[in-house]
Amino acid sequence: VGVTCIFALQSASNTFAEQSMELTIGQDNVRCIHRGSSDEVVLEEHDCGFSIVGSTVVSRNIASSSTKIPVPLAGFVLVFPQNLLPDEIDIMCDDDVTIGLTYA
């Protein structure tokens, strides 16, 4: 079992209470792709991809079909199934949502 990424989800306009989402690399089809292994990641249908540099999520992607996204030069892409997202929050499309990240 690998590193756990803990995401704190917050709404700038307080449309929902702060929530957290934990994803552990190597469990539930959660994968980490870094620049040393590839320049890009292919997200399959219903995969999500967070491009992360340090503790900042620099982009959020969800695939409705096979989609290529670049791996950040100084970071990685965390790939996980869409069903691991919180149901009530559209964190992929809602610009009102901010995402904080810590590692355990």
Side-chain angles (χ1 to χ4, degrees), residues 40-68:
E40 62 186 14
V41 175
V42 176
L43 299 179
E44 300 300 331
E45 186 176 8
H46 303 298
D47 275 350
C48 298
F50 284 175
S51 297
I52 298 170
V53 176
S55 61
T56 303
V57 178
V58 295
S59 71
R60 303 173 267 186
N61 299 278
I62 189 167
S64 56
S65 62
S66 185
T67 306
K68 290 182 181 180

PDB file of all heavy atoms in Angstrom, residues 40-68:
ATOM      1  N   GLU A  40       2.846  11.828 -20.524  1.00  0.00           N
ATOM      2  CA  GLU A  40       1.406  11.993 -20.532  1.00  0.00           C
ATOM      3  C   GLU A  40       0.727  10.762 -19.957  1.00  0.00           C
ATOM      4  O   GLU A  40       1.318   9.699 -19.863  1.00  0.00           O
ATOM      5  CB  GLU A  40       0.888  12.295 -21.938  1.00  0.00           C
ATOM      6  CG  GLU A  40       1.150  11.196 -22.933  1.00  0.00           C
ATOM      7  CD  GLU A  40       0.755  11.572 -24.349  1.00  0.00           C
ATOM      8  OE1 GLU A  40       0.514  12.760 -24.631  1.00  0.00           O
ATOM      9  OE2 GLU A  40       0.683  10.657 -25.180  1.00  0.00           O
ATOM     10  N   VAL A  41      -0.518  10.952 -19.584  1.00  0.00           N
ATOM     11  CA  VAL A  41      -1.332   9.885 -18.996  1.00  0.00           C
ATOM     12  C   VAL A  41      -2.572   9.729 -19.859  1.00  0.00           C
ATOM     13  O   VAL A  41      -3.158  10.723 -20.293  1.00  0.00           O
ATOM     14  CB  VAL A  41      -1.768  10.249 -17.563  1.00  0.00           C
ATOM     15  CG1 VAL A  41      -2.701   9.208 -16.985  1.00  0.00           C
ATOM     16  CG2 VAL A  41      -0.574  10.438 -16.670  1.00  0.00           C
ATOM     17  N   VAL A  42      -2.969   8.494 -20.091  1.00  0.00           N
ATOM     18  CA  VAL A  42      -4.223   8.243 -20.785  1.00  0.00           C
ATOM     19  C   VAL A  42      -5.279   7.908 -19.734  1.00  0.00           C
ATOM     20  O   VAL A  42      -5.148   6.921 -19.013  1.00  0.00           O
ATOM     21  CB  VAL A  42      -4.090   7.094 -21.803  1.00  0.00           C
ATOM     22  CG1 VAL A  42      -5.443   6.802 -22.445  1.00  0.00           C
ATOM     23  CG2 VAL A  42      -3.048   7.418 -22.854  1.00  0.00           C
ATOM     24  N   LEU A  43      -6.275   8.777 -19.637  1.00  0.00           N
ATOM     25  CA  LEU A  43      -7.420   8.509 -18.767  1.00  0.00           C
ATOM     26  C   LEU A  43      -8.442   7.739 -19.575  1.00  0.00           C
ATOM     27  O   LEU A  43      -8.802   8.139 -20.676  1.00  0.00           O
ATOM     28  CB  LEU A  43      -8.052   9.814 -18.268  1.00  0.00           C
ATOM     29  CG  LEU A  43      -7.185  10.744 -17.431  1.00  0.00           C
ATOM     30  CD1 LEU A  43      -7.989  11.988 -17.046  1.00  0.00           C
ATOM     31  CD2 LEU A  43      -6.671  10.041 -16.193  1.00  0.00           C
ATOM     32  N   GLU A  44      -8.888   6.629 -19.042  1.00  0.00           N
ATOM     33  CA  GLU A  44      -9.949   5.858 -19.695  1.00  0.00           C
ATOM     34  C   GLU A  44     -11.305   6.412 -19.254  1.00  0.00           C
ATOM     35  O   GLU A  44     -11.383   7.206 -18.317  1.00  0.00           O
ATOM     36  CB  GLU A  44      -9.816   4.376 -19.345  1.00  0.00           C
ATOM     37  CG  GLU A  44      -8.500   3.749 -19.779  1.00  0.00           C
ATOM     38  CD  GLU A  44      -8.260   3.810 -21.282  1.00  0.00           C
ATOM     39  OE1 GLU A  44      -9.235   3.822 -22.066  1.00  0.00           O
ATOM     40  OE2 GLU A  44      -7.083   3.860 -21.678  1.00  0.00           O
ATOM     41  N   GLU A  45     -12.353   5.977 -19.913  1.00  0.00           N
ATOM     42  CA  GLU A  45     -13.690   6.446 -19.589  1.00  0.00           C
ATOM     43  C   GLU A  45     -13.980   6.278 -18.102  1.00  0.00           C
ATOM     44  O   GLU A  45     -13.700   5.229 -17.529  1.00  0.00           O
ATOM     45  CB  GLU A  45     -14.726   5.679 -20.411  1.00  0.00           C
ATOM     46  CG  GLU A  45     -16.131   6.189 -20.241  1.00  0.00           C
ATOM     47  CD  GLU A  45     -17.121   5.481 -21.147  1.00  0.00           C
ATOM     48  OE1 GLU A  45     -16.747   4.486 -21.804  1.00  0.00           O
ATOM     49  OE2 GLU A  45     -18.271   5.919 -21.179  1.00  0.00           O
ATOM     50  N   HIS A  46     -14.500   7.325 -17.481  1.00  0.00           N
ATOM     51  CA  HIS A  46     -14.860   7.378 -16.063  1.00  0.00           C
ATOM     52  C   HIS A  46     -13.654   7.425 -15.127  1.00  0.00           C
ATOM     53  O   HIS A  46     -13.794   7.222 -13.924  1.00  0.00           O
ATOM     54  CB  HIS A  46     -15.788   6.238 -15.663  1.00  0.00           C
ATOM     55  CG  HIS A  46     -17.047   6.195 -16.475  1.00  0.00           C
ATOM     56  ND1 HIS A  46     -17.963   7.218 -16.474  1.00  0.00           N
ATOM     57  CD2 HIS A  46     -17.523   5.270 -17.330  1.00  0.00           C
ATOM     58  CE1 HIS A  46     -18.956   6.916 -17.286  1.00  0.00           C
ATOM     59  NE2 HIS A  46     -18.708   5.741 -17.829  1.00  0.00           N
ATOM     60  N   ASP A  47     -12.461   7.700 -15.652  1.00  0.00           N
ATOM     61  CA  ASP A  47     -11.291   7.971 -14.811  1.00  0.00           C
ATOM     62  C   ASP A  47     -11.226   9.460 -14.511  1.00  0.00           C
ATOM     63  O   ASP A  47     -11.637  10.287 -15.330  1.00  0.00           O
ATOM     64  CB  ASP A  47      -9.988   7.595 -15.528  1.00  0.00           C
ATOM     65  CG  ASP A  47      -9.621   6.133 -15.397  1.00  0.00           C
ATOM     66  OD1 ASP A  47     -10.256   5.417 -14.595  1.00  0.00           O
ATOM     67  OD2 ASP A  47      -8.682   5.713 -16.105  1.00  0.00           O
ATOM     68  N   CYS A  48     -10.692   9.794 -13.362  1.00  0.00           N
ATOM     69  CA  CYS A  48     -10.402  11.178 -12.997  1.00  0.00           C
ATOM     70  C   CYS A  48      -8.896  11.320 -12.902  1.00  0.00           C
ATOM     71  O   CYS A  48      -8.196  10.375 -12.556  1.00  0.00           O
ATOM     72  CB  CYS A  48     -11.012  11.526 -11.642  1.00  0.00           C
ATOM     73  SG  CYS A  48     -12.799  11.392 -11.614  1.00  0.00           S
ATOM     74  N   GLY A  49      -8.417  12.509 -13.173  1.00  0.00           N
ATOM     75  CA  GLY A  49      -7.001  12.780 -13.044  1.00  0.00           C
ATOM     76  C   GLY A  49      -6.768  14.135 -12.415  1.00  0.00           C
ATOM     77  O   GLY A  49      -7.307  15.137 -12.891  1.00  0.00           O
ATOM     78  N   PHE A  50      -6.046  14.160 -11.317  1.00  0.00           N
ATOM     79  CA  PHE A  50      -5.625  15.407 -10.693  1.00  0.00           C
ATOM     80  C   PHE A  50      -4.148  15.602 -11.030  1.00  0.00           C
ATOM     81  O   PHE A  50      -3.322  14.757 -10.696  1.00  0.00           O
ATOM     82  CB  PHE A  50      -5.755  15.355  -9.175  1.00  0.00           C
ATOM     83  CG  PHE A  50      -7.149  15.482  -8.630  1.00  0.00           C
ATOM     84  CD1 PHE A  50      -7.364  15.342  -7.269  1.00  0.00           C
ATOM     85  CD2 PHE A  50      -8.237  15.753  -9.429  1.00  0.00           C
ATOM     86  CE1 PHE A  50      -8.627  15.472  -6.724  1.00  0.00           C
ATOM     87  CE2 PHE A  50      -9.504  15.873  -8.900  1.00  0.00           C
ATOM     88  CZ  PHE A  50      -9.706  15.728  -7.540  1.00  0.00           C
ATOM     89  N   SER A  51      -3.819  16.694 -11.702  1.00  0.00           N
ATOM     90  CA  SER A  51      -2.420  17.057 -11.931  1.00  0.00           C
ATOM     91  C   SER A  51      -1.963  17.829 -10.706  1.00  0.00           C
ATOM     92  O   SER A  51      -2.572  18.836 -10.334  1.00  0.00           O
ATOM     93  CB  SER A  51      -2.281  17.909 -13.183  1.00  0.00           C
ATOM     94  OG  SER A  51      -2.681  17.170 -14.314  1.00  0.00           O
ATOM     95  N   ILE A  52      -0.890  17.352 -10.072  1.00  0.00           N
ATOM     96  CA  ILE A  52      -0.470  17.880  -8.771  1.00  0.00           C
ATOM     97  C   ILE A  52       1.002  18.279  -8.825  1.00  0.00           C
ATOM     98  O   ILE A  52       1.840  17.528  -9.323  1.00  0.00           O
ATOM     99  CB  ILE A  52      -0.695  16.823  -7.672  1.00  0.00           C
ATOM    100  CG1 ILE A  52      -2.186  16.488  -7.583  1.00  0.00           C
ATOM    101  CG2 ILE A  52      -0.145  17.292  -6.326  1.00  0.00           C
ATOM    102  CD1 ILE A  52      -2.514  15.296  -6.718  1.00  0.00           C
ATOM    103  N   VAL A  53       1.284  19.476  -8.315  1.00  0.00           N
ATOM    104  CA  VAL A  53       2.657  19.940  -8.131  1.00  0.00           C
ATOM    105  C   VAL A  53       2.775  20.355  -6.670  1.00  0.00           C
ATOM    106  O   VAL A  53       2.063  21.254  -6.211  1.00  0.00           O
ATOM    107  CB  VAL A  53       2.996  21.116  -9.067  1.00  0.00           C
ATOM    108  CG1 VAL A  53       4.393  21.635  -8.776  1.00  0.00           C
ATOM    109  CG2 VAL A  53       2.869  20.703 -10.534  1.00  0.00           C
ATOM    110  N   GLY A  54       3.649  19.669  -5.931  1.00  0.00           N
ATOM    111  CA  GLY A  54       3.776  19.927  -4.494  1.00  0.00           C
ATOM    112  C   GLY A  54       2.484  19.574  -3.786  1.00  0.00           C
ATOM    113  O   GLY A  54       2.023  18.447  -3.831  1.00  0.00           O
ATOM    114  N   SER A  55       1.850  20.555  -3.169  1.00  0.00           N
ATOM    115  CA  SER A  55       0.558  20.321  -2.506  1.00  0.00           C
ATOM    116  C   SER A  55      -0.561  21.080  -3.196  1.00  0.00           C
ATOM    117  O   SER A  55      -1.605  21.346  -2.604  1.00  0.00           O
ATOM    118  CB  SER A  55       0.646  20.728  -1.031  1.00  0.00           C
ATOM    119  OG  SER A  55       0.950  22.107  -0.937  1.00  0.00           O
ATOM    120  N   THR A  56      -0.351  21.399  -4.489  1.00  0.00           N
ATOM    121  CA  THR A  56      -1.350  22.149  -5.246  1.00  0.00           C
ATOM    122  C   THR A  56      -1.909  21.304  -6.386  1.00  0.00           C
ATOM    123  O   THR A  56      -1.152  20.737  -7.177  1.00  0.00           O
ATOM    124  CB  THR A  56      -0.721  23.430  -5.849  1.00  0.00           C
ATOM    125  OG1 THR A  56      -0.173  24.205  -4.787  1.00  0.00           O
ATOM    126  CG2 THR A  56      -1.747  24.247  -6.596  1.00  0.00           C
ATOM    127  N   VAL A  57      -3.229  21.217  -6.456  1.00  0.00           N
ATOM    128  CA  VAL A  57      -3.889  20.581  -7.588  1.00  0.00           C
ATOM    129  C   VAL A  57      -3.973  21.634  -8.689  1.00  0.00           C
ATOM    130  O   VAL A  57      -4.705  22.608  -8.562  1.00  0.00           O
ATOM    131  CB  VAL A  57      -5.291  20.060  -7.204  1.00  0.00           C
ATOM    132  CG1 VAL A  57      -5.986  19.450  -8.414  1.00  0.00           C
ATOM    133  CG2 VAL A  57      -5.196  19.041  -6.074  1.00  0.00           C
ATOM    134  N   VAL A  58      -3.181  21.463  -9.747  1.00  0.00           N
ATOM    135  CA  VAL A  58      -3.104  22.481 -10.797  1.00  0.00           C
ATOM    136  C   VAL A  58      -4.141  22.288 -11.888  1.00  0.00           C
ATOM    137  O   VAL A  58      -4.476  23.237 -12.595  1.00  0.00           O
ATOM    138  CB  VAL A  58      -1.686  22.585 -11.403  1.00  0.00           C
ATOM    139  CG1 VAL A  58      -0.698  23.079 -10.360  1.00  0.00           C
ATOM    140  CG2 VAL A  58      -1.230  21.266 -11.983  1.00  0.00           C
ATOM    141  N   SER A  59      -4.672  21.068 -12.033  1.00  0.00           N
ATOM    142  CA  SER A  59      -5.789  20.851 -12.955  1.00  0.00           C
ATOM    143  C   SER A  59      -6.553  19.604 -12.542  1.00  0.00           C
ATOM    144  O   SER A  59      -6.018  18.712 -11.883  1.00  0.00           O
ATOM    145  CB  SER A  59      -5.319  20.749 -14.402  1.00  0.00           C
ATOM    146  OG  SER A  59      -4.637  19.554 -14.627  1.00  0.00           O
ATOM    147  N   ARG A  60      -7.831  19.595 -12.943  1.00  0.00           N
ATOM    148  CA  ARG A  60      -8.724  18.474 -12.655  1.00  0.00           C
ATOM    149  C   ARG A  60      -9.321  18.010 -13.972  1.00  0.00           C
ATOM    150  O   ARG A  60      -9.778  18.822 -14.764  1.00  0.00           O
ATOM    151  CB  ARG A  60      -9.857  18.923 -11.734  1.00  0.00           C
ATOM    152  CG  ARG A  60      -9.376  19.529 -10.437  1.00  0.00           C
ATOM    153  CD  ARG A  60     -10.524  20.105  -9.651  1.00  0.00           C
ATOM    154  NE  ARG A  60     -10.696  21.524  -9.962  1.00  0.00           N
ATOM    155  CZ  ARG A  60     -11.542  22.312  -9.336  1.00  0.00           C
ATOM    156  NH1 ARG A  60     -12.329  21.850  -8.397  1.00  0.00           N
ATOM    157  NH2 ARG A  60     -11.631  23.586  -9.668  1.00  0.00           N
ATOM    158  N   ASN A  61      -9.336  16.711 -14.188  1.00  0.00           N
ATOM    159  CA  ASN A  61      -9.864  16.151 -15.435  1.00  0.00           C
ATOM    160  C   ASN A  61     -10.735  14.946 -15.128  1.00  0.00           C
ATOM    161  O   ASN A  61     -10.438  14.174 -14.223  1.00  0.00           O
ATOM    162  CB  ASN A  61      -8.720  15.703 -16.352  1.00  0.00           C
ATOM    163  CG  ASN A  61      -7.816  16.840 -16.737  1.00  0.00           C
ATOM    164  OD1 ASN A  61      -8.132  17.573 -17.648  1.00  0.00           O
ATOM    165  ND2 ASN A  61      -6.703  17.005 -16.040  1.00  0.00           N
ATOM    166  N   ILE A  62     -11.784  14.789 -15.925  1.00  0.00           N
ATOM    167  CA  ILE A  62     -12.594  13.582 -15.875  1.00  0.00           C
ATOM    168  C   ILE A  62     -12.820  13.142 -17.311  1.00  0.00           C
ATOM    169  O   ILE A  62     -13.061  13.969 -18.186  1.00  0.00           O
ATOM    170  CB  ILE A  62     -13.916  13.810 -15.121  1.00  0.00           C
ATOM    171  CG1 ILE A  62     -14.640  12.497 -14.877  1.00  0.00           C
ATOM    172  CG2 ILE A  62     -14.800  14.794 -15.830  1.00  0.00           C
ATOM    173  CD1 ILE A  62     -15.765  12.585 -13.885  1.00  0.00           C
ATOM    174  N   ALA A  63     -12.661  11.859 -17.570  1.00  0.00           N
ATOM    175  CA  ALA A  63     -12.733  11.362 -18.938  1.00  0.00           C
ATOM    176  C   ALA A  63     -14.102  10.764 -19.236  1.00  0.00           C
ATOM    177  O   ALA A  63     -14.580   9.895 -18.518  1.00  0.00           O
ATOM    178  CB  ALA A  63     -11.642  10.314 -19.159  1.00  0.00           C
ATOM    179  N   SER A  64     -14.730  11.262 -20.296  1.00  0.00           N
ATOM    180  CA  SER A  64     -15.962  10.643 -20.783  1.00  0.00           C
ATOM    181  C   SER A  64     -15.623   9.643 -21.884  1.00  0.00           C
ATOM    182  O   SER A  64     -16.434   8.811 -22.256  1.00  0.00           O
ATOM    183  CB  SER A  64     -16.933  11.708 -21.296  1.00  0.00           C
ATOM    184  OG  SER A  64     -16.318  12.496 -22.288  1.00  0.00           O
ATOM    185  N   SER A  65     -14.394   9.753 -22.402  1.00  0.00           N
ATOM    186  CA  SER A  65     -13.827   8.783 -23.331  1.00  0.00           C
ATOM    187  C   SER A  65     -12.317   8.820 -23.110  1.00  0.00           C
ATOM    188  O   SER A  65     -11.821   9.600 -22.298  1.00  0.00           O
ATOM    189  CB  SER A  65     -14.192   9.136 -24.769  1.00  0.00           C
ATOM    190  OG  SER A  65     -13.659  10.395 -25.113  1.00  0.00           O
ATOM    191  N   SER A  66     -11.582   8.008 -23.819  1.00  0.00           N
ATOM    192  CA  SER A  66     -10.132   7.972 -23.646  1.00  0.00           C
ATOM    193  C   SER A  66      -9.547   9.360 -23.912  1.00  0.00           C
ATOM    194  O   SER A  66      -9.786   9.955 -24.957  1.00  0.00           O
ATOM    195  CB  SER A  66      -9.544   6.939 -24.601  1.00  0.00           C
ATOM    196  OG  SER A  66      -8.172   6.795 -24.387  1.00  0.00           O
ATOM    197  N   THR A  67      -8.789   9.886 -22.920  1.00  0.00           N
ATOM    198  CA  THR A  67      -8.279  11.254 -22.975  1.00  0.00           C
ATOM    199  C   THR A  67      -6.827  11.274 -22.513  1.00  0.00           C
ATOM    200  O   THR A  67      -6.496  10.684 -21.496  1.00  0.00           O
ATOM    201  CB  THR A  67      -9.107  12.162 -22.036  1.00  0.00           C
ATOM    202  OG1 THR A  67     -10.486  12.051 -22.366  1.00  0.00           O
ATOM    203  CG2 THR A  67      -8.673  13.601 -22.116  1.00  0.00           C
ATOM    204  N   LYS A  68      -5.970  12.000 -23.254  1.00  0.00           N
ATOM    205  CA  LYS A  68      -4.575  12.156 -22.852  1.00  0.00           C
ATOM    206  C   LYS A  68      -4.414  13.487 -22.117  1.00  0.00           C
ATOM    207  O   LYS A  68      -4.931  14.510 -22.562  1.00  0.00           O
ATOM    208  CB  LYS A  68      -3.650  12.153 -24.066  1.00  0.00           C
ATOM    209  CG  LYS A  68      -3.540  10.824 -24.747  1.00  0.00           C
ATOM    210  CD  LYS A  68      -2.576  10.905 -25.913  1.00  0.00           C
ATOM    211  CE  LYS A  68      -2.485   9.575 -26.622  1.00  0.00           C
ATOM    212  NZ  LYS A  68      -1.559   9.636 -27.758  1.00  0.00           N
TER     213      LYS A  68
END
